[in-house]
Amino acid sequence: MSAERATDRVSLTESAGACSSHSGSESVGQHVALDVVMARAAGENFPVALRLLPRRLRDHLEAIYGYARLVDNLGDEFPGDRTAALDWADSELDALFSGSPRHPVFRRLAPMIQLFSVPRLPFDELLAANRQDQHKTRYETREELMDYCALSANPVGHMVLAVFDAATPERIAASNAVCSGLQILEHLQDVAEDARAGRVYLPAEDMARFGCAVEDLSASEAGTGLRELVAYESGFARELVEAGIPLVRSLNGYARLAISGFVAGGLAGLDAIEKAGFEVLGGVRSAGRPGLLRRFIPVYLGRRRRADRARASP
């Protein structure tokens, strides 16, 4: 993911040019082009299963992804005043929910909101997570990090379930676990990149437990302490993502297909980290399509693999 993010940052920076903190709200929108925002959709969070969905459903899911990507780009990579840029996104939400969306990313959301009566709260929560990133760069405990995931990841699952008319309390709880697990996976994949940006999403109490210092996150390769820490966090993330298997069993049709893809993608990404010996500093750890497909079939059938059952046994 790091290479993709670097490419995306170049595109965003080039389009922004000499944008400064004094740029007006209109110029912020001009600098966040739709093609830049959607550049990662094919390779990051949208697994192969989504290609099997009908166009109408793919459009809604890609619109959700586009919004999440836009606010993330503004919060992480915008070359001007990022707080002001997030304020611009807030004003675009105002326009969207008043029935007059302006920016293409927000216009793509309008049909979904109208058809499924999606409330504004999950959009505001994703925006709040990126506002938090502007001033909070460390997390002391796992509970504190999970509170962040509740803003930065879980709202996406709420919107996805709404699109499939499948949002029951039990499914939302399982979706929250899956989305938080996927967020932790992304943090593990991006340890070095986040450290260069001055952010650490590994809980400080866990780092202390494994004798890992912040400086270790900038090394050329992971030391023993960091690898043990990544193994520990990966195990927790795997437990969360596996909550998606009973969620899949509760679904039918296209909803089952789509959610299976998300769960399988998370498990495959964790498999890739484990296969690399929990080395997360030396490059991108991608499962690739074969790894994803190996995971997809048992997940779609609502089963845990034998190796996973053995791993979970005391």
Side-chain angles (χ1 to χ4, degrees):
M1 179 174 171
S2 298
E4 291 176 338
R5 178 173 288 186
T7 301
D8 202 25
R9 180 184 295 114
V10 169
S11 298
L12 182 60
T13 303
E14 288 176 348
S15 67
C19 180
S20 71
S21 61
H22 302 291
S23 295
S25 60
E26 291 185 3
S27 64
V28 174
Q30 292 168 358
H31 296 320
V32 190
L34 180 62
D35 58 344
V36 173
V37 170
M38 297 303 299
R40 291 185 216 160
E44 186 179 328
N45 290 332
F46 279 78
V48 67
L50 293 190
R51 300 176 187 174
L52 304 178
L53 299 179
R55 182 74 258 178
R56 59 181 177 82
L57 290 174
R58 291 208 315 271
D59 285 346
H60 295 316
L61 296 178
E62 289 173 1
I64 293 169
Y65 175 86
Y67 173 75
R69 185 72 263 156
L70 180 145
V71 296
D72 196 37
N73 276 355
L74 293 179
D76 286 352
E77 303 169 1
F78 189 70
D81 184 334
R82 293 176 184 172
T83 298
L86 293 170
D87 289 342
W88 167 84
D90 200 3
S91 71
E92 290 295 314
L93 282 178
D94 290 340
L96 171 63
F97 280 90
S98 69
S100 56
R102 299 181 294 245
H103 188 277
V105 168
F106 293 84
R107 288 202 296 269
R108 293 186 73 182
L109 289 165
M112 179 194 75
I113 290 170
Q114 293 169 0
L115 283 171
F116 304 106
S117 301
V118 180
R120 178 164 172 165
L121 179 60
F123 297 92
D124 286 334
E125 289 173 330
L126 290 173
L127 197 57
N130 281 273
R131 291 191 189 280
Q132 183 168 308
D133 281 335
Q134 305 314 304
H135 61 83
K136 186 172 180 63
T137 60
R138 300 287 190 277
Y139 291 84
E140 292 300 318
T141 65
R142 175 172 284 175
E143 290 73 20
E144 193 177 355
L145 182 64
M146 291 295 286
D147 287 342
Y148 172 75
C149 292
L151 294 176
S152 67
N154 298 3
V156 174
H158 299 175
M159 290 188 275
V160 169
L161 288 176
V163 164
F164 289 107
D165 195 24
T168 65
E170 294 79 11
R171 287 170 177 160
I172 289 173
S175 172
N176 287 345
V178 172
C179 290
S180 291
L182 293 175
Q183 179 72 89
I184 292 171
L185 167 61
E186 182 176 335
H187 291 161
L188 296 176
Q189 291 170 325
D190 292 347
V191 164
E193 183 176 350
D194 288 333
R196 287 193 296 271
R199 295 177 184 169
V200 177
Y201 293 104
L202 299 168
E205 65 177 10
D206 294 346
M207 294 181 67
R209 174 180 177 179
F210 291 98
C212 182
V214 172
E215 293 74 18
D216 297 334
L217 309 183
S218 301
S220 58
E221 62 180 41
T224 300
L226 178 55
R227 289 179 188 239
E228 291 176 350
L229 172 60
V230 171
Y232 177 68
E233 304 298 347
S234 294
F236 177 58
R238 191 179 294 275
E239 292 176 7
L240 293 173
V241 176
E242 285 181 344
I245 294 176
L247 171 60
V248 166
R249 286 199 296 264
S250 78
L251 298 168
N252 296 299
Y254 291 127
R256 185 170 186 143
L257 189 66
I259 303 304
S260 295
F262 290 121
V263 174
L267 293 174
L270 290 164
D271 291 343
I273 290 178
E274 182 175 355
K275 185 177 180 180
F278 305 104
E279 164 59 273
V280 293
L281 300 183
V284 177
R285 301 300 171 191
S286 174
R289 184 170 297 182
L292 174 59
L293 291 176
R294 279 195 299 271
R295 277 294 184 175
F296 179 80
I297 293 173
V299 168
Y300 182 77
L301 296 175
R303 302 171 183 168
R304 296 176 70 186
R305 297 196 317 179
R306 183 179 302 173
D308 293 327
R309 292 196 297 270
R311 184 189 285 111
S313 300

